[in-house]
Amino acid sequence: MRSSRRPRWLLPVLLCALAVLLARPVETPERSPARGGADPDVGAEVARLYEDAAAATRQYEEGRHAAEAQRRRAGRLEELLDRERRQLAALREDLGRIARAQYRSGGDVPLAARMLLAHRPEELLRRQHAVSKADLAVTDAITKSRRAEARLAADERKAAAEWKALERRNAKLVALKQNIQRKLEEARERLQGEADSSAASGTCPGAVRLHQPDTSFTRAWVAPLGTYQLSARFGSGGARWANRHTGQDFAVPIGTPVRAVGGGRVVKVSCGGAFGIQIVIAHPGGYYTQYAHLASVAVDQGDHVVPGQWIGQSGTTGNSTGPHLHFEVRITPELGSGLDPVPWLAARGVHL
């Protein structure tokens, strides 16, 4: 009969095994954004791609201008070359006329015989001397013209080669820009999708700390965007607003960096509602500015900002029919105390 008594070594083995299991690190799932939150990497990626696309555009424009300059230089050299060729043809024609004149005046008879037969040998000698000088001058001019033609032809070939090299470089830049633009559009879609989730849940994601540009504004007030197109104006009517439009809209693509128009303190960062993701900044003098329908924010409530600082990225959250920035100037932090932003900024040296 088998004994039910446990071996003495079993308990220590079990205790060691338990200790090993407890000592092993616990594997946690990869962290994902909270429900309704945004992945900060997407906003940073959009901002980076936005700068890359702008840089590629600048390089392409510089290359295009350089290619046009080289094309014009090659054209000018071609014109000079044509002129040299025409002058060379005229000189050759002059030389032909001199040769024919010598033949008609007895160019095949030795000069000494012609002098003996001539009525006025001294006149014949002067004429022969003039013909020789003209012949030498024409020959010298032809030699110089040929050298100039060769030099111009070399310059023309060089200019044409440089122009073709610039054209090839520009073609590569176009392909690079298109690739960046494709990636930017994909990142914008992801950014807006996460922003819509945030606005729908009313849960604001954390601030996306964007890499600030290396430009410092010396003025106290700036425009809220670098490039834009003005759309709905202050006070205009429409079905989307209960009464009148309370701000100035700027039509820009999703993910465009939004700037603080002046120094101040962030008093509100909120999501949801008609304005979607929005920021309100208090400025000295009792004024407030609002930035609405954003896709991401780059500041937190309580942060202090300086003129031109990137505070977020444009989007189309909330009551919006397309990507744009809704910008307001108020005398209180709340809706209903708005001023027309265009003359308000103009009075501060910012003309939209």
Side-chain angles (χ1 to χ4, degrees):
M1 184 175 178
R2 181 178 297 178
S3 173
S4 60
R5 188 177 179 182
R6 296 176 182 174
R8 295 179 179 178
W9 51 266
L10 183 58
L11 183 60
V13 169
L14 290 174
L15 290 174
C16 289
L18 180 61
V20 169
L21 288 173
L22 291 174
R24 290 177 62 187
V26 179
E27 294 185 2
T28 57
E30 185 178 352
R31 184 180 178 185
S32 59
R35 180 176 177 82
D39 181 0
D41 291 340
V42 179
E45 180 185 0
V46 170
R48 178 180 58 79
L49 289 169
Y50 188 92
E51 290 184 306
D52 289 347
T57 299
R58 287 194 299 271
Q59 290 176 5
Y60 170 74
E61 289 300 318
E62 290 170 0
R64 186 176 63 83
H65 290 314
E68 288 298 324
Q70 282 297 102
R71 192 201 302 269
R72 290 192 295 270
R73 180 168 176 261
R76 289 194 298 269
L77 288 171
E78 179 63 28
E79 292 175 0
L80 289 172
L81 194 56
D82 286 341
R83 190 160 62 218
E84 283 292 328
R85 286 167 179 163
R86 289 194 298 269
Q87 291 175 352
L88 183 59
L91 288 170
R92 285 172 176 165
E93 181 63 27
D94 289 341
L95 185 59
R97 282 197 297 270
I98 292 172
R100 289 192 295 271
Q102 284 181 323
Y103 178 78
R104 286 194 300 270
S105 62
D108 57 335
V109 179
L111 179 61
R114 280 187 282 142
M115 290 179 65
L116 290 173
L117 296 173
H119 296 289
R120 297 180 62 186
E122 65 278 5
E123 180 65 25
L124 179 61
L125 187 61
R126 281 197 300 270
R127 196 166 62 199
Q128 182 66 29
H129 181 66
V131 169
S132 298
K133 285 182 62 178
D135 191 3
L136 288 173
V138 170
T139 302
D140 183 59
I142 288 176
T143 302
K144 290 181 179 178
S145 181
R146 283 175 176 169
R147 289 175 182 169
E149 182 183 11
R151 186 177 63 254
L152 283 171
D155 289 343
E156 184 191 29
R157 288 192 297 270
K158 181 180 177 182
E162 290 175 353
W163 168 65
K164 289 179 181 178
L166 285 168
E167 287 289 290
R168 289 192 296 270
R169 172 181 176 272
N170 288 346
K172 291 180 181 179
L173 282 173
V174 168
L176 173 65
K177 182 182 175 183
Q178 289 174 345
N179 185 45
I180 294 173
Q181 195 66 34
R182 178 183 56 79
K183 292 180 180 178
L184 179 58
E185 290 301 324
E186 293 173 355
R188 279 171 172 164
E189 288 181 6
R190 296 200 308 272
L191 178 65
Q192 186 59 45
E194 294 180 357
D196 289 337
S197 298
S198 298
S201 66
T203 304
C204 282
V208 177
R209 297 302 178 181
L210 300 176
H211 173 69
Q212 296 293 326
D214 296 330
T215 55
S216 57
F217 291 90
T218 56
R219 295 179 301 170
W221 301 95
V222 299
L225 296 153
T227 57
Y228 54 83
Q229 182 177 353
L230 296 178
S231 51
R233 295 183 176 275
F234 177 82
S236 58
R240 296 189 302 275
W241 311 299
N243 296 305
R244 292 285 178 178
H245 193 224
T246 55
Q248 173 65 57
D249 285 353
F250 297 78
V252 287
I254 294 169
T256 304
V258 175
R259 307 187 298 208
V261 297
R265 184 173 63 88
V266 178
V267 296
K268 184 177 184 180
V269 176
S270 65
C271 301
F275 288 120
I277 300 175
Q278 63 166 320
I279 297 170
V280 178
I281 298 176
H283 303 280
Y287 292 102
Y288 299 82
T289 54
Q290 180 207 30
Y291 313 78
H293 305 306
L294 302 176
S296 77
V297 295
V299 290
D300 289 318
Q301 193 165 309
D303 285 353
H304 288 270
V305 296
V306 296
Q309 179 179 332
W310 285 356
I311 59 172
Q313 292 167 287
S314 64
T316 181
T317 54
N319 183 16
S320 171
T321 59
H324 73 286
L325 169 70
H326 175 85
F327 174 73
E328 288 193 19
V329 176
R330 302 172 178 172
I331 56 175
T332 72
E334 307 302 328
L335 179 65
S337 61
L339 305 172
D340 189 342
V342 174
W344 187 86
L345 284 172
R348 288 154 180 79
V350 181
H351 299 279
L352 302 177

